[in-house]
Amino acid sequence: ATDAAAAMAVPSPSFFFALLVILYLVSLAFFAVVRIATGVSVQRLGYFSLRRISYTLQDGIRIDIRTLRLHLHRPTFAKPTWLSLRFTELKITVDVSALSKGGLSQNDSARSHNPESQTHGMTVKPASSEHPLFRNSIPQTSWGKIWRMITVVKERIKVIHQKIDWLRMVDVEFINSTCLVKGVASFQVASVSLAVDTRRKTVDRGRLFRHKKTSAGEQQPAEWVFVLKGVLFTAEGMESLEILDICSLNIHGFIYRNIPGLRDASISVKLGRIHVPYDDVLHCQRLIESKLDMANSQNSLRGPRRSRGSTAGLVAGTTARDGLADTVSDFREVVSSLLRGIQEVQMAISFIGLSKQVRGIKPSGKSVFLNVAMNEFGVDLFRLDPKGPAHRMYFVSRDVAHQALLAAISIGFSIDDGDGRPQRILYIPMVTTTIRTTLPTKAVVQDLNNDHWDRNANVLFANLVVTSPSLDLDLKHMSLVIAILRSHIHQQGRAETDSRSGFRAVSRLLPKASITISVQESVARIVLPPSEPTADGLDDYDLLISTISTISLELESSHTPAEDVHYSLSVSLRITSHKFYYQTASGIRHSLLRMNAFEARLNLVTTHHLSVMIEGNMETFTVHMIRPEISEGLHQIIQQLGWNAGLEDNSIQPEQQRQSFLRNCPSWLIRVHFRGSRFELEVAGKDAGVSQDLRGVAIQLQSWSAEYQVHQPEFQSQRQHIHSKDHSKNMGFVHREKAKSSPDSADCKDINAESDGRHLILHGQGFETFIVEGVDVWDPDPFLSMPKIELSMSTSSDVNGPAFHVACFIQALFVRYSLYRYYVLGVGYSVLRKALDLERYMSSETQKSSSSNSLDRSLPCAERTMVDLKIPIFQVKASMPSEPALMLQIYGFEGGLQRWSSPFLRSRLIRLYGEAPGIRAAWARVVSIKNFRVDLRESRKRVGKSFAEDRSFDIAAEFIRLAIPHQVVFHKIVDNVINVLKASEQMNYRFETGTDTYILGKEPQHARKLPRISLRSKVFMFEIEDGLFEWKLGLIYRVGLSEQKQRLARADAYEMKIKKMQGKTQRRDSSRHESERNETEQGRSKQLDQASSGPGKAISHASSRSPTLTPPLRQNCRIRYDGDAISGLTGTARISAEEAKERLEEHNAVSWKKRIFAALHYQSASNKDTRRMFWGKDESPKVDEDTETILSIPDHPGLMTALISDLHIIIDKPSFPIQKTSNFLNRIGKGMPFDMQYSLLIPMSLLINMGETRMTLRNYPLPLLHIPTTRSNQSSRLASWSVKADFVIAEEFRDASSMKHVKVEVVPPGKMFHSRGTETRFCIDVRRTVSPVKTYSDIDISVNTGYPTTIAWGTSYQPAIQDMMQIIETFSKPRTDLSERVGFWDKIRLVFHSRLRVAWKGGGDVHLRLKGMYVNTVYRLR
């Protein structure tokens, strides 16, 4: 029985099997009940595990678990738990379409059953308008749900920590988990583990977080450990990519006995290698958006749902405000609790990688990718101790402040263009940042309506240091980088327009910040092809390197006390020691740019409108482009950048084409002020067609400043009102009616009102340009110098439309011109033109300007440009190819272009000098003009059905003097000017095209049409200066005649005195001797009587004594000593005869000299007084830098002087059609062929009106020609005489055999250091015609004066006339053939072909005065 009982007590295997089956069946029934009750489906039970678990959280979200296993184990040091929960193959499936449908259906049902929720759904606008944190498309109810959900989660976490003693025994592990978003992407995670560790010895000791210690009895440490390994991301239709290899999250804190939750929490996040598939994420985003749009479109087909509750709309506003307040309160509560509970956050990432495909750019047919990589990244954020010194140094003790430390190592940006070799373009070795701020707490606690003191209590201090960044670019990748930047700027611009509305509210939360950014030893390198390829074929290259020692950026911002929102930002930028140089493959460096220091300060103020003010300073900015390698490298860079290609593609409206650049400046830019010192630009290159020498131009500027400013609106409106009032008074009736009748004037004023009142002022001092003749070899003398220059530009508007004002003031302008300097300037221009690729840019600008000019007249709001130019002193000193040199001086030069007036140029004094022959470094005056003015007038005339534009030049002057200095050959001046102009034209073509094509060949020309030219002058003087020696010799001769008469008279008196003294000493008693003495005395007294009464007899007697001393005198001459006027001679004397003789000779010598000097002074004074009557004081303004020696106007009379008053010359189109010019030449030229070809043909009509005209020779008393002024009873507008003619200037066309080749020297032999071949100089062949320039005219001369016209002639005039003719002959070309020399009159017959008609219409006579030796005869012609 016992055995049987024992046998029955032991279960059999079948029993166990049956029991297991029953339990399995019971579990299935239990799992079915659980599925019905909770929705969790468990298919079967395993060994300490559950299999095939699935749960549908809501429509569109499904959770599947393959195995849930329980694992009991003994706690170890590595795993201190007792129980492990392992989830195998967790899969979360999300259906976006179903989720969106379910969400919409739930929202509709909630609205239909709950009126309050319906009103909440209508509160989007108040939420977005009150608080900046909710400005998006999420409704306010969603925000409230989110914050309430976070609050619920926070409370549950607190409850969980109350059971920490049980939770520390369990760890959770997920293996092979998957998150699948249908039709979008999938995430696969290798393993995830979660556990909590409360061991004090391992957690509390050696901890990195702790900044605050308390007693061990009040706290229990706890650390949550979350470990994630292997995250694989697969986008729909894309390749799989591991985006994260490992991640560990440690949350450490303390659990107190009486306080729920985890306190003084510290978070540590450690990430391994992270790869961000940017393109895959964007692809997934587009897929999600498409699915949402499809779901929304399907729901919209069902029609709108009816809302229940008619009283819901009445309480919408109140409910909206209450809901917003609850949302903000929940948000602040959640964030405040997080800030109070979290003590420190640490994050470390070992590697971060990002790849992005550049859309729309495929240079070689392959996609281009932008890659970003960073090896190490760390963040340490913790809350400062309010009682610590680090907190008290920056913040108030009652504030809660945080400090963040960020560090990044080895940051790299690279481009992969598909060729298999990604190129790193940007590399940053290390970036460190330190941030101290109260922003997290103040942004939550701060009231949006508080004052600026409370807003400034929100403080931010940051310091960013970037160490040794480097930028490496290849030419083929530069266009890719530019395209990427342009696309980023375009997208950022669109984002800015979307975020402007929220800036005002967000600005209230901005802190009072102090941020310092420092960049140390930055380098930018551009790889260029080698300028000199190596023979070994290595892959060498040249480099353009830019290095900056230090870049410092300081930002300071604060809230300002104002009624409205005012937030100011101050930014200071400092750059020190910037170098930009070119390095060849062999290691040789050539400096390109240097800058010692640059400082800039930006002030930004936010009110209703953004206001920005910028100030800057630059020291020692130099640019050196003196190497061909540098120019070629820049040319390649510009081509890759394509900086002017964007200008051609931009579509600009016609109204915008005529606007100035000031109106295109941003409206928020209020003031910009930059100044600098020592600016230097050096451009040089080689002209391989001439030599291998470096030549170019260097520009130096001692100091400069630029200021841009916008006037305040109130001052601007007052100024515009005053300007329009004054302008309306001065404007004519026609203009007023035109402005009133214009319907677009008010619209133009409103359109340009915002851009009015903008001013840009540029100042420069010490501007000089030099010739560069090699590396560090400059010409010591500048060829262009401006001591001071000011340029002002402004915008304004009136009733006639917008205007752009340009005013330029140059204190003095000195130019030293020569063909060599002009050639070197052209070389520098060609270097810049090639390096900067200006040819394509200039062609595009020309097309734009032509199109804009065609539309200019049709635009009602086109902006007009007004120009004012002032140059007190303008001097051009020209070294000509041959002597003489020329110099032009202009004093008081002004120019202007106004709205309702014609363009004009005027000057107070103009002088043209020629180098004086025989006097070194001295200048003689050739042309002098006083009070000169030129006006350009344009008019439109209707010709048939079209309009023709006519231009006329009105020239006016007060006094014009044209002189031919003594010994100056005038045709040399003309030939020099012509040769220089032709050589300059050839060089211009050479530098513009880069070819040596000869363009100076003579071709037949058609008749040219001249514009109308009007010349007025009150006084015109043409003078041929006489030689000083000739004038002095003649004056000495005339004065010597008078002095000789006086000397002979004094000699006679001396002899009479001697004889009187001798007669008194002889005492003879004989009567014979006494009678003889009496007769002698009577004879002498008769001689004295004859000398007093008849001077001719005395002169004849004196001439008989010394016939060779003087020539016969005129009858009206009188001797100084008159016998009747003096007392009789006595026989006594106080001195001896010898002493008296010596004193007489001394007096004769002194009297001769005094008389000559007195005559010279009298002649000079009289000439000066006469000239002062017309010219005024002959004084030039004093210039500090003017060291030129200017010869004064000769004081003696000229060889020939022609003086004309009230001169008026009009040059216009001829009276005959221009097509009939050949007929006119045939008629005047006595049978000139009609088919004659001309290399120069200028037809014109000539009208000359003249007042009083006087032509004199030397100092002759009678004028050679004198036409007096009109009588008082004649019209004041009537000229004394006038000349009217059809005038044609023609030069017959000849072949090459009749051309003279002139070698004009451009580069002298001393400047050719590395010449081409055997040439020692560079010359330009200028072809000059040998045939003379002829004139054909039909002249009508009318003499209108009522006074007689006087013509004088005599034999004494002939020498002066001959000298004058010799000088006039120098006006024409010298003869080149070997035939007999042609006389002047024959030249007149050859050159001048005219028909002359002279008529005296005013009733005046003609007097012909023939001057002889002793007779002056006047013949009156009627």
Side-chain angles (χ1 to χ4, degrees):
T2 303
D3 296 337
M8 294 178 63
V10 177
S12 62
S14 60
F15 174 78
F16 286 102
F17 179 76
L19 183 61
L20 291 176
V21 172
I22 294 172
L23 291 177
Y24 180 75
L25 295 176
V26 172
S27 65
L28 292 178
F30 176 74
F31 291 153
V33 174
V34 172
R35 179 179 180 182
I36 296 173
T38 62
V40 178
S41 174
V42 181
Q43 292 187 3
R44 62 180 180 271
L45 180 67
Y47 178 75
F48 281 96
S49 64
L50 300 176
R51 301 293 182 92
R52 302 295 181 180
I53 304 173
S54 63
Y55 174 68
T56 302
L57 184 62
Q58 65 179 34
D59 292 343
I61 300 178
R62 176 183 176 86
I63 301 175
D64 296 324
I65 302 175
R66 181 181 180 84
T67 305
L68 171 59
R69 185 181 300 276
L70 302 177
H71 178 64
L72 295 174
H73 57 84
R74 185 173 59 84
T76 62
F77 178 78
K79 184 177 290 188
T81 59
W82 292 85
L83 177 63
S84 296
L85 298 179
R86 294 183 180 178
F87 295 86
T88 304
E89 296 185 9
L90 171 64
K91 183 178 181 181
I92 301 175
T93 304
V94 180
D95 189 353
V96 178
S97 301
L99 186 62
S100 61
K101 295 178 182 179
L104 291 174
S105 62
Q106 291 179 5
N107 291 336
D108 294 338
S109 62
R111 291 178 183 176
S112 62
H113 293 86
N114 189 2
E116 183 179 0
S117 64
Q118 183 180 359
T119 58
H120 287 177
M122 300 172 61
T123 58
V124 178
K125 183 177 179 180
S128 61
S129 60
E130 293 291 337
H131 203 280
L133 298 176
F134 310 105
R135 286 185 176 271
N136 50 29
S137 60
I138 301 178
Q140 182 221 325
T141 55
S142 300
W143 280 114
K145 290 181 180 179
I146 291 174
W147 300 125
R148 284 194 294 271
M149 185 182 299
I150 294 175
T151 304
V152 172
V153 173
K154 183 187 68 173
E155 296 299 330
R156 291 182 180 179
I157 291 175
K158 291 181 180 180
V159 175
I160 291 175
H161 281 86
Q162 293 178 0
K163 302 177 182 180
I164 195 68
D165 294 335
W166 295 97
L167 294 176
R168 65 183 181 179
M169 301 174 64
V170 180
D171 65 280
V172 182
E173 184 178 1
F174 297 88
I175 300 175
N176 295 332
S177 303
T178 303
C179 178
L180 175 63
V181 181
K182 288 186 177 181
V184 178
S186 64
F187 295 88
Q188 297 181 12
V189 182
S191 65
V192 180
S193 62
L194 176 64
V196 60
D197 189 1
T198 60
R199 292 176 295 177
R200 187 180 302 275
K201 298 299 183 181
T202 58
V203 177
D204 192 25
R205 183 180 298 175
R207 196 158 31 85
L208 299 177
F209 297 116
R210 189 169 179 180
H211 293 278
K212 177 181 179 181
K213 292 184 179 181
T214 57
S215 60
E218 299 179 357
Q219 62 184 3
Q220 180 183 1
E223 182 176 0
W224 291 89
V225 181
F226 175 84
V227 180
L228 184 147
K229 296 181 180 179
V231 180
L232 186 68
F233 173 71
T234 304
E236 184 71 19
M238 301 292 181
E239 297 180 357
S240 300
L241 176 66
E242 184 183 8
I243 61 176
L244 178 63
D245 59 349
I246 187 171
C247 172
S248 64
L249 172 64
N250 296 349
I251 303 176
H252 176 269
F254 297 95
I255 300 175
Y256 295 88
R257 295 179 180 178
N258 299 325
I259 302 176
L262 189 67
R263 300 294 174 178
D264 295 337
S266 299
I267 302 174
S268 174
V269 181
K270 297 180 181 180
L271 302 174
R273 300 178 63 86
I274 300 177
H275 296 274
V276 181
Y278 186 83
D279 298 322
D280 295 350
V281 173
L282 291 180
H283 177 66
C284 294
Q285 182 182 359
R286 289 191 294 269
L287 292 177
I288 293 175
E289 291 177 354
S290 63
K291 291 180 177 296
L292 292 176
D293 294 340
M294 185 180 298
N296 293 333
S297 62
Q298 293 177 359
N299 292 329
S300 62
L301 295 176
R302 302 175 185 177
R305 297 179 179 269
R306 295 182 180 180
S307 61
R308 300 176 58 183
S310 59
T311 60
L314 300 176
V315 295
T318 305
T319 308
R321 290 191 292 270
D322 296 340
L324 175 62
D326 295 340
T327 302
V328 175
S329 177
D330 295 340
F331 165 74
R332 288 183 173 180
E333 182 180 356
V334 171
V335 177
S336 298
S337 63
L338 293 177
L339 293 176
R340 289 191 306 267
I342 298 176
Q343 179 76 14
E344 184 178 2
V345 176
Q346 289 185 358
M347 183 175 66
I349 303 175
S350 61
F351 178 82
I352 300 177
L354 184 145
S355 178
K356 178 183 180 298
Q357 182 180 1
V358 182
R359 304 291 179 181
I361 300 177
K362 293 183 178 181
S364 59
K366 300 179 181 179
S367 300
V368 179
F369 293 90
L370 175 64
N371 303 320
V372 182
M374 181 169 54
N375 288 342
E376 296 290 340
F377 178 73
V379 178
D380 186 6
L381 173 64
F382 59 90
R383 186 171 65 241
L384 293 176
D385 185 7
K387 298 181 180 180
H391 186 280
R392 296 291 182 88
M393 179 177 178
Y394 300 100
F395 311 101
V396 184
S397 59
R398 65 176 180 272
D399 293 338
V400 178
H402 293 78
Q403 177 173 327
L405 304 177
L406 289 83
I409 300 176
S410 185
I411 305 173
F413 296 81
S414 61
I415 288 182
D416 186 3
D417 56 357
D419 59 353
R421 298 177 57 186
Q423 181 186 5
R424 185 172 64 183
I425 59 176
L426 179 61
Y427 177 71
I428 304 175
M430 184 172 62
V431 178
T432 58
T433 306
T434 303
I435 302 175
R436 302 178 182 89
T437 181
T438 60
L439 180 62
T441 57
K442 292 293 183 179
V444 177
V445 180
Q446 183 177 344
D447 188 7
L448 296 181
N449 297 321
N450 54 7
D451 56 1
H452 71 283
W453 298 107
D454 295 335
R455 292 197 295 267
N456 284 331
N458 187 8
V459 186
L460 172 66
F461 297 95
N463 186 10
L464 174 65
V465 179
V466 181
T467 305
S468 301
S470 61
L471 177 66
D472 297 327
L473 290 176
D474 199 350
L475 288 178
K476 63 180 180 180
H477 292 149
M478 290 191 67
S479 59
L480 300 179
V481 175
I482 297 300
I484 294 172
L485 294 178
R486 286 180 178 176
S487 61
H488 176 71
I489 293 173
H490 180 66
Q491 295 176 0
Q492 188 176 7
R494 291 187 298 178
E496 288 179 356
T497 57
D498 299 335
S499 61
R500 286 178 182 175
S501 58
F503 177 76
R504 179 181 177 184
V506 174
S507 63
R508 296 178 179 271
L509 302 178
L510 293 177
K512 179 182 179 182
S514 177
I515 303 174
T516 302
I517 302 175
S518 179
V519 181
Q520 306 291 335
E521 300 296 336
S522 60
V523 179
R525 295 178 287 263
I526 300 177
V527 179
L528 301 175
S531 58
E532 298 178 357
T534 57
D536 51 3
L538 296 178
D539 191 11
D540 290 337
Y541 50 83
D542 296 348
L543 291 174
L544 273 175
I545 303 175
S546 174
T547 62
I548 301 177
S549 177
T550 304
I551 301 176
S552 177
L553 183 65
E554 297 180 0
L555 293 87
E556 295 182 359
S557 62
S558 62
H559 295 271
T560 57
E563 297 179 357
D564 204 348
V565 180
H566 286 67
Y567 187 75
S568 62
L569 173 66
S570 177
V571 181
S572 298
L573 174 65
R574 297 183 181 89
I575 299 176
T576 59
S577 184
H578 180 206
K579 297 180 181 179
F580 189 28
Y581 57 91
Y582 184 92
Q583 179 175 331
T584 62
S586 58
I588 302 175
R589 295 183 178 182
H590 306 287
S591 177
L592 177 59
L593 185 147
R594 289 184 181 179
M595 182 179 63
N596 288 350
F598 173 77
E599 296 182 3
R601 185 177 183 87
L602 182 145
N603 294 324
L604 183 146
V605 179
T606 60
T607 57
H608 295 289
H609 302 282
L610 185 66
S611 301
V612 177
M613 292 173 286
I614 304 175
E615 292 184 359
N617 184 24
M618 183 184 296
E619 297 180 359
T620 314
F621 185 84
T622 60
V623 180
H624 305 276
M625 294 177 58
I626 58 175
R627 300 292 301 180
E629 299 87 353
I630 297 176
S631 303
E632 184 63 26
L634 290 179
H635 175 67
Q636 296 178 6
I637 293 173
I638 295 299
Q639 282 186 335
Q640 292 295 329
L641 291 178
W643 67 304
N644 49 8
L647 297 176
E648 298 175 359
D649 298 335
N650 293 336
S651 59
I652 303 176
Q653 298 298 329
E655 291 82 358
Q656 298 176 354
Q657 290 182 358
R658 299 299 299 170
Q659 284 190 351
S660 60
F661 68 96
L662 288 182
R663 296 190 184 274
N664 296 328
C665 293
S667 58
W668 44 261
L669 189 60
I670 303 301
R671 184 174 183 270
V672 179
H673 185 202
F674 278 93
R675 59 184 179 273
S677 61
R678 194 188 170 189
F679 171 80
E680 184 177 311
L681 174 62
E682 189 176 2
V683 180
K686 296 180 180 179
D687 189 0
V690 177
S691 67
Q692 296 298 322
D693 298 326
L694 280 175
R695 293 187 177 91
V697 181
I699 300 175
Q700 279 189 351
L701 189 59
Q702 183 178 359
S703 62
W704 60 272
S705 65
E707 182 177 3
Y708 169 81
Q709 189 172 5
V710 179
H711 285 192
Q712 297 295 332
E714 56 271 10
F715 296 105
Q716 181 181 355
S717 61
Q718 295 176 4
R719 180 180 59 81
Q720 288 181 354
H721 175 71
I722 295 173
H723 177 71
S724 61
K725 184 177 179 180
D726 296 340
H727 184 72
S728 62
K729 291 181 180 180
N730 298 328
M731 193 168 56
F733 176 79
V734 177
H735 295 160
R736 288 201 302 269
E737 292 297 329
K738 185 185 297 183
K740 291 180 181 179
S741 62
S742 177
D744 299 325
S745 59
D747 298 337
C748 295
K749 188 174 182 180
D750 295 337
I751 292 174
N752 298 277
E754 296 182 356
S755 58
D756 289 341
R758 300 182 179 183
H759 294 265
L760 177 61
I761 303 175
L762 304 176
H763 294 268
Q765 290 186 353
F767 181 87
E768 294 180 342
T769 57
F770 298 85
I771 295 298
V772 178
E773 298 178 342
V775 179
D776 298 333
V777 179
W778 290 12
D779 189 0
D781 298 327
F783 71 89
L784 178 62
S785 176
M786 288 184 287
K788 183 178 180 181
I789 180 174
E790 297 179 4
L791 180 62
S792 175
M793 290 169 279
S794 61
T795 59
S796 64
S797 296
D798 52 16
V799 294
N800 299 294
F804 179 58
H805 303 262
V806 179
C808 181
F809 173 78
I810 302 175
Q811 184 181 18
L813 178 59
F814 300 97
V815 181
R816 295 167 59 90
Y817 176 84
S818 67
L819 285 177
Y820 175 68
R821 294 186 177 92
Y822 189 78
Y823 166 75
V824 173
L825 183 64
V827 172
Y829 166 74
S830 61
V831 171
L832 279 179
R833 189 169 181 267
K834 181 180 179 181
L836 303 180
D837 199 11
L838 296 178
E839 183 177 0
R840 184 169 54 178
Y841 173 74
M842 294 174 66
S843 61
S844 63
E845 286 296 323
T846 303
Q847 295 176 359
K848 290 182 180 180
S849 61
S850 61
S851 61
S852 61
N853 290 333
S854 61
L855 296 174
D856 187 15
R857 298 185 181 272
S858 62
L859 295 178
C861 297
E863 187 178 27
R864 308 302 182 192
T865 301
M866 292 180 281
V867 181
D868 289 328
L869 175 63
K870 292 185 179 180
I871 306 177
I873 300 173
F874 180 27
Q875 175 178 305
V876 179
K877 185 178 180 182
S879 298
M880 311 305 286
S882 59
E883 296 181 352
L886 299 177
M887 184 174 69
L888 175 66
Q889 287 184 346
I890 303 177
Y891 297 95
F893 177 78
E894 296 181 6
L897 174 62
Q898 303 300 328
R899 185 190 293 273
W900 300 117
S901 62
S902 58
F904 69 93
L905 296 175
R906 62 187 178 191
S907 175
R908 185 164 53 88
L909 179 62
I910 298 178
R911 287 178 179 172
L912 177 64
Y913 304 92
E915 191 174 10
I919 304 177
R920 189 175 182 180
W923 302 95
R925 312 181 191 200
V926 179
V927 179
S928 299
I929 305 176
K930 185 178 181 181
N931 294 334
F932 177 78
R933 181 184 176 95
V934 179
D935 293 282
L936 173 61
R937 305 185 187 277
E938 296 182 354
S939 60
R940 300 183 68 191
K941 297 181 180 180
R942 189 177 184 87
V943 180
K945 297 182 179 180
S946 61
F947 289 90
E949 294 186 358
D950 291 338
R951 290 186 177 183
S952 62
F953 293 90
D954 294 345
I955 305 173
E958 183 178 350
F959 185 88
I960 300 177
R961 179 179 180 268
L962 177 60
I964 307 299
H966 183 60
Q967 295 182 352
V968 171
V969 181
F970 190 74
H971 77 83
K972 290 185 177 180
I973 298 177
V974 177
D975 287 347
N976 276 333
V977 173
I978 295 176
N979 292 336
V980 166
L981 293 178
K982 290 182 177 292
S984 300
E985 182 181 359
Q986 179 65 34
M987 285 192 292
N988 290 338
Y989 181 82
R990 175 189 178 91
F991 295 130
E992 287 290 338
T993 61
T995 60
D996 294 333
T997 305
Y998 190 77
I999 63 171
L1000 299 180
K1002 289 289 185 177
E1003 297 294 337
Q1005 301 290 334
H1006 297 286
R1008 299 183 182 180
K1009 181 181 178 181
L1010 293 180
R1012 186 178 185 274
I1013 301 175
S1014 174
L1015 172 62
R1016 291 178 181 269
S1017 179
K1018 291 183 179 180
V1019 179
F1020 175 80
M1021 176 185 290
F1022 175 71
E1023 183 177 5
I1024 300 177
E1025 297 180 2
D1026 196 5
L1028 182 62
F1029 176 77
E1030 296 289 341
W1031 173 70
K1032 283 189 176 181
L1033 184 61
L1035 183 63
I1036 292 173
Y1037 177 78
R1038 291 189 300 271
V1039 173
L1041 291 178
S1042 177
E1043 178 62 25
Q1044 186 66 21
K1045 299 173 186 177
Q1046 302 295 336
R1047 181 176 296 183
L1048 292 176
R1050 288 192 294 269
D1052 292 341
Y1054 174 78
E1055 292 179 357
M1056 292 172 61
K1057 181 67 176 179
I1058 293 298
K1059 292 181 178 180
K1060 188 69 174 178
M1061 292 172 60
Q1062 292 177 355
K1064 188 176 181 180
T1065 55
Q1066 295 177 358
R1067 302 294 185 180
R1068 297 181 178 177
D1069 296 336
S1070 61
S1071 59
R1072 183 175 56 85
H1073 293 123
E1074 184 176 356
S1075 62
E1076 291 178 358
R1077 185 171 63 252
N1078 293 332
E1079 292 177 358
T1080 304
E1081 291 178 358
Q1082 292 177 359
R1084 291 179 178 176
S1085 62
K1086 289 180 180 180
Q1087 292 178 359
L1088 292 175
D1089 293 338
Q1090 292 176 358
S1092 60
S1093 59
K1097 298 180 180 180
I1099 293 175
S1100 62
H1101 176 73
S1103 61
S1104 62
R1105 296 176 56 186
S1106 57
T1108 60
L1109 292 179
T1110 58
L1113 300 180
R1114 301 171 63 178
Q1115 296 180 0
N1116 56 356
C1117 295
R1118 295 179 57 87
I1119 299 178
R1120 178 178 176 183
Y1121 298 99
D1122 192 354
D1124 297 337
I1126 59 174
S1127 60
L1129 297 177
T1130 61
T1132 60
R1134 298 180 181 179
I1135 58 176
S1136 62
E1138 291 78 6
E1139 186 177 357
K1141 182 66 174 178
E1142 183 178 356
R1143 289 185 179 183
L1144 179 60
E1145 293 177 353
E1146 182 180 356
H1147 174 76
N1148 290 336
V1150 173
S1151 177
W1152 177 275
K1153 185 177 181 180
K1154 286 182 178 180
R1155 186 178 292 272
I1156 293 176
F1157 286 168
L1160 291 174
H1161 177 72
Y1162 173 77
Q1163 291 280 351
S1164 300
S1166 61
N1167 289 330
K1168 287 182 180 179
D1169 294 340
T1170 304
R1171 190 179 297 113
R1172 192 178 293 113
M1173 293 174 58
F1174 302 98
W1175 181 265
K1177 292 185 178 180
D1178 186 23
E1179 295 180 358
S1180 302
K1182 295 182 179 179
V1183 185
D1184 297 336
E1185 300 183 6
D1186 190 6
T1187 58
E1188 303 294 339
T1189 302
I1190 307 299
L1191 300 180
S1192 60
I1193 299 178
D1195 298 333
H1196 56 274
L1199 176 61
M1200 190 277 293
T1201 303
L1203 188 64
I1204 304 174
S1205 62
D1206 298 331
L1207 175 65
H1208 185 199
I1209 302 176
I1210 298 177
I1211 301 175
D1212 204 349
K1213 58 184 178 181
S1215 59
F1216 54 87
I1218 297 181
Q1219 295 80 5
K1220 302 295 183 179
T1221 305
S1222 57
N1223 297 336
F1224 177 81
L1225 296 177
N1226 178 268
R1227 179 169 55 88
I1228 300 299
K1230 297 180 180 180
M1232 289 291 294
F1234 290 98
D1235 58 350
M1236 177 67 72
Q1237 294 181 343
Y1238 300 92
S1239 58
L1240 178 64
L1241 185 60
I1242 305 176
M1244 69 183 78
S1245 67
L1246 189 64
L1247 177 61
I1248 305 176
N1249 295 324
M1250 292 168 281
E1252 182 180 0
T1253 304
R1254 182 185 298 269
M1255 181 185 297
T1256 59
L1257 297 176
R1258 287 199 172 106
N1259 58 347
Y1260 295 169
L1262 297 178
L1264 182 64
L1265 174 64
H1266 179 220
I1267 301 177
T1269 184
T1270 57
R1271 291 181 180 272
S1272 59
N1273 57 358
Q1274 293 179 320
S1275 176
S1276 59
R1277 297 183 178 181
L1278 184 63
S1280 297
W1281 65 298
S1282 61
V1283 178
K1284 184 178 181 181
D1286 284 332
F1287 199 82
V1288 178
I1289 301 176
E1291 182 180 9
E1292 299 175 6
F1293 175 73
R1294 303 299 181 188
D1295 55 3
S1297 59
S1298 300
M1299 296 290 178
K1300 180 176 64 174
H1301 296 266
V1302 179
K1303 295 292 184 179
V1304 179
E1305 184 179 78
V1306 177
V1307 181
K1311 303 294 184 179
M1312 297 285 287
F1313 304 104
H1314 302 85
S1315 60
R1316 181 185 59 181
T1318 59
E1319 297 180 1
T1320 59
R1321 63 174 185 170
F1322 173 57
C1323 299
I1324 293 179
D1325 184 15
V1326 175
R1327 298 178 184 178
R1328 301 293 304 277
T1329 57
V1330 179
S1331 59
V1333 178
K1334 300 179 181 181
T1335 60
Y1336 303 86
S1337 57
D1338 189 0
I1339 303 175
D1340 290 332
I1341 300 177
S1342 301
V1343 181
N1344 303 317
T1345 179
Y1347 294 105
T1349 301
T1350 304
I1351 303 174
W1353 180 257
T1355 56
S1356 58
Y1357 283 58
Q1358 187 172 355
I1361 293 294
Q1362 291 178 352
D1363 295 342
M1364 181 182 69
M1365 290 298 104
Q1366 290 179 357
I1367 296 175
I1368 294 177
E1369 280 188 3
T1370 61
F1371 292 1
S1372 59
K1373 302 177 183 178
R1375 63 191 185 96
T1376 57
D1377 54 355
L1378 301 179
S1379 59
E1380 185 179 357
R1381 185 175 181 180
V1382 180
F1384 175 76
W1385 299 106
D1386 295 329
K1387 284 186 177 181
I1388 292 179
R1389 290 182 55 196
L1390 179 63
V1391 174
F1392 298 98
H1393 302 270
S1394 301
R1395 289 182 180 178
L1396 181 62
R1397 291 179 293 273
V1398 182
W1400 276 262
K1401 299 180 179 180
D1405 298 335
V1406 179
H1407 294 179
L1408 176 61
R1409 295 181 178 180
L1410 299 179
K1411 182 80 170 95
M1413 179 63 67
Y1414 295 103
V1415 182
N1416 187 9
T1417 305
V1418 178
Y1419 294 94
R1420 182 173 299 177
L1421 303 179
R1422 296 183 181 274

